[in-house]
Amino acid sequence: MAGQIPDLIAEARTGTGKGAARQARRDGFVPGVVYGGEAEPLAIQIPFNVLLKKLKDGRFLSTLFNLKVEGQEDVRVICRGVQRDTVKDLPTHIDLLRLRRTSKINLFIHVDFENEEAAPGIKKGGVLTVVRPEVELNVTAGDIPERLVVDLTGKDIGDTITISQIDLPEGAKPTIDRDFVIANLSAPSGLRSAGDDEDGEAEGEEAAAEE
């Protein structure tokens, strides 16, 4: 099931060139262009504060957006570049690429963990350590999963969950070409400390016996 694609609201920008771009910035916008697909490039502008917030939220360059421009059909886009002021490091121009529903893109997908109550390791007080709360996948633009699900049923202390144990949507694959760790279930710190103490005592007794 495709996830909810966030909207990116922009305005069509009249005029092109450096003069029009400077005017857009004076008016509180970041100028940009939408290109690709079967349509002509479209000059746009996005409110500066809106774009700055999205950039600060992170993952902007790997997030698929539903671009909404008055008078134009909605289109799915992904950012292919943000130019910044060299002194202030603030956005001055943005490039957006149109995507077809069959286009392949890399996106970070959130990982959810379910059925903790059915995990023996958690019932014993084990600690679930999440190594990757998000996983970057190569997916089809028209079939983006809302999330990835890890089923903790039967998981015990010492178990490790890797990407190969997660059911991925058809056509999706991780961008990392190895079976990397998503999470692991470890013993409570108290039990680990007690185990370490016992090991230390045993080693001391063995050393004393050897003497």
Side-chain angles (χ1 to χ4, degrees):
M1 178 181 178
Q4 182 64 43
I5 300 173
D7 287 336
L8 182 62
I9 299 174
E11 299 178 7
R13 178 163 51 94
T14 57
T16 57
K18 293 182 178 179
R22 282 196 295 267
Q23 184 60 51
R25 296 185 191 103
R26 284 195 292 267
D27 293 339
F29 292 89
V30 176
V33 63
V34 186
Y35 64 94
E38 299 175 353
E40 292 294 319
L42 173 67
I44 61 166
Q45 57 187 23
I46 299 173
F48 175 84
N49 290 335
V50 171
L51 179 59
L52 186 62
K53 181 180 184 304
K54 288 184 179 296
L55 289 171
K56 288 183 176 179
D57 287 342
R59 304 289 193 210
F60 187 79
L61 293 176
S62 59
T63 298
L64 183 69
F65 291 101
N66 179 50
L67 181 67
K68 302 178 77 70
V69 178
E70 187 174 354
Q72 304 281 334
E73 289 187 4
D74 290 4
V75 61
R76 294 183 178 191
V77 298
I78 191 166
C79 181
R80 278 296 175 253
V82 178
Q83 297 174 25
R84 296 175 180 267
D85 182 275
T86 54
V87 177
K88 299 180 180 179
D89 195 35
L90 297 175
T92 59
H93 191 276
I94 183 171
D95 295 318
L96 300 175
L97 174 66
R98 296 186 187 96
L99 294 173
R100 299 184 180 91
R101 293 185 64 84
T102 56
S103 299
K104 286 283 193 176
I105 53 173
N106 293 344
L107 293 176
F108 283 90
I109 308 298
H110 180 71
V111 180
D112 278 347
F113 297 84
E114 296 184 345
N115 298 322
E116 291 190 14
E117 70 283 356
I122 292 179
K123 289 181 179 179
K124 297 172 186 175
V127 178
L128 179 67
T129 301
V130 179
V131 178
R132 292 180 184 269
E134 294 179 314
V135 173
E136 188 178 28
L137 298 179
N138 181 259
V139 297
T140 304
D143 190 24
I144 298 170
E146 181 176 359
R147 58 182 184 144
L148 300 180
V149 177
V150 173
D151 186 357
L152 295 174
T153 300
K155 298 299 181 184
D156 210 339
I157 290 174
D159 285 349
T160 297
I161 300 152
T162 62
I163 187 63
S164 64
Q165 298 172 38
I166 298 179
D167 291 330
L168 299 179
E170 185 175 354
K173 64 178 183 179
T175 58
I176 299 175
D177 190 22
R178 58 181 170 81
D179 193 18
F180 53 87
V181 175
I182 303 295
N184 55 65
L185 192 53
S186 56
S189 57
L191 288 181
R192 289 200 298 271
S193 298
D196 293 341
D197 292 343
E198 288 174 2
D199 290 342
E201 290 174 2
E203 290 173 1
E205 290 173 358
E206 289 175 3
E210 289 174 359
E211 293 175 356

